[in-house]
Amino acid sequence: MSSLFNLLTTFLLLWTFVSLNLLSSALLINPAAGSRSLLRVVDGAGNQPGFAVDLNVTNFDQAFKDATTTYAIVEFFAHWCPACRNYKPQYEKVARLFNGANAAHPGIIFMTRVDCADTINTKLCDKFSVTHYPSLYWGPPSKFVGGGWDGKDEKSEIRFIDDGRTADRLLKWINSQLGSSYKLEDEKHENDHVTRSNVSDPGQIAQAVYDVEEATIIAFDMILENKMVKPESRGTLIKFMQLMVSHHPSRRCRRGTADILVNFDDLYLSKKHGLLDEFGICGKEASRGYWTFCRGSTNDTRGFSCGLWVLLHSISVRVEDGESQMAFTTTCDFIHQFFNCEECSEHFYNMCSRVSTPFGSKREYVLWLWTAHNEVNKRLKNAEESLKTSDPKFPKTIWPTKRLCPTCYNNHNQNEESSSIDWNHDEVFKFLSSYYGNMLVSLYKENDEEQIQIKNNAVSEQVLQSTNALVVPAGAALAIAAASCLFGALAWFWRSRQKNRKYFHKPQPLKIV
């Protein structure tokens, strides 16, 4: 029986070891379940991550759903492939131009990588008919969400890149698709001639919703960093945040602001103002660190001020008639008390002070803000021209231009630079309502429509992520179950033998001498 006991003990130890290895393997399969962040870890050699974003099956669809670029490239590779290892520096040279806060040309191409040698990505790579490594695919980000490629559908917007084996050849292929002239040597803001102008393209306002998020984050970062929340300004901040919860064009900012408002009093009364930024005014993943619609041709032009103006205009077109006066006074007080440029905030507040009659409709408020913006542009244009500080690519001008809104002008022959333009205010209001209303959030709506079919399929994954459930392969689960049953049977057998042993080996009574 001792040999049987030793056998059982050995089997128990072996079973425990196998189970732990199976479970640890399962943990490695999905180490970041529940995380939507595209954070790349340091690899085993201690190398820092590159510019291309590494994806896997757990975050592939979400990454492209959240992408704000016009196009995307996916490199399917295998980490064991020598050619892939040699190609990585070439791919990174191009990714440096388009990815990251210091990208020379941000907001245009989202460059990513998927390791097909990782078993969890097998089905994903099969969907794109990957037969050799590396393989590159090009298309709009939304088409990669729940999508695939088999080379047979001529109408597919996903294309196989057949000539990208070096950085020079890949960038040449990209330039041929975009009609651009990007170079590997390009640096941030270096090529003014390729900076995309938004003066004549109304569709580009759709990119500005992400700049509005960026401006919102920066504005509240400045408020917290400069400890500007005082007893006398606290009420103004709360009112403006309430306005944002109802009318901010970004869902992420509406949700983030609501979370802060719910906890605002507790944090304020406890004097832990620094904790406000832990909630994230627009959520944890909104900040990108660069501008698209509001990008200037130099580092110190446009950017934050442009994003803030778009935010104010977008709120103005979303308020109801009965909220117009409240929105006006709240906005004036917020800029006056929380905008760090003293001259700018004083000038804005002076324009507010000239309003003597309360607004009775949204139209009145929208047109007042538009008039105020043009007044600021006119004042800054004169100052910047005399000081040579204007952005040559985006000079200050009366807005909207005739090209953007020809019906806004009653006299089509009138010079746009005229000091007194005969505006058609009904058409201006209609244009502003559309431009800062539906057009601004059109990317959100497109993403929503494309996600209707895959949301139901993602429910189980979201539940799994939210509960931090362990992902165990089916084979591992069966092995563990079988081992458990076998061990239970052997344990029962051993216990039965021990019981019977009592009756076969009865103790003999001692003789009394």
Side-chain angles (χ1 to χ4, degrees), residues 236-254:
T236 296
L237 181 61
I238 291 176
K239 287 180 181 178
F240 191 75
M241 292 172 70
Q242 290 171 337
L243 197 61
M244 286 173 41
V245 169
S246 299
H247 303 300
H248 198 291
S250 163
R251 288 190 301 272
R252 288 189 286 201
C253 293
R254 292 197 297 270

Side-chain angles (χ1 to χ4, degrees), residues 370-382:
W370 160 72
T371 303
H373 194 169
N374 271 335
E375 181 179 328
V376 170
N377 279 348
K378 184 176 181 180
R379 180 177 64 87
L380 291 179
K381 179 182 180 181
N382 295 331

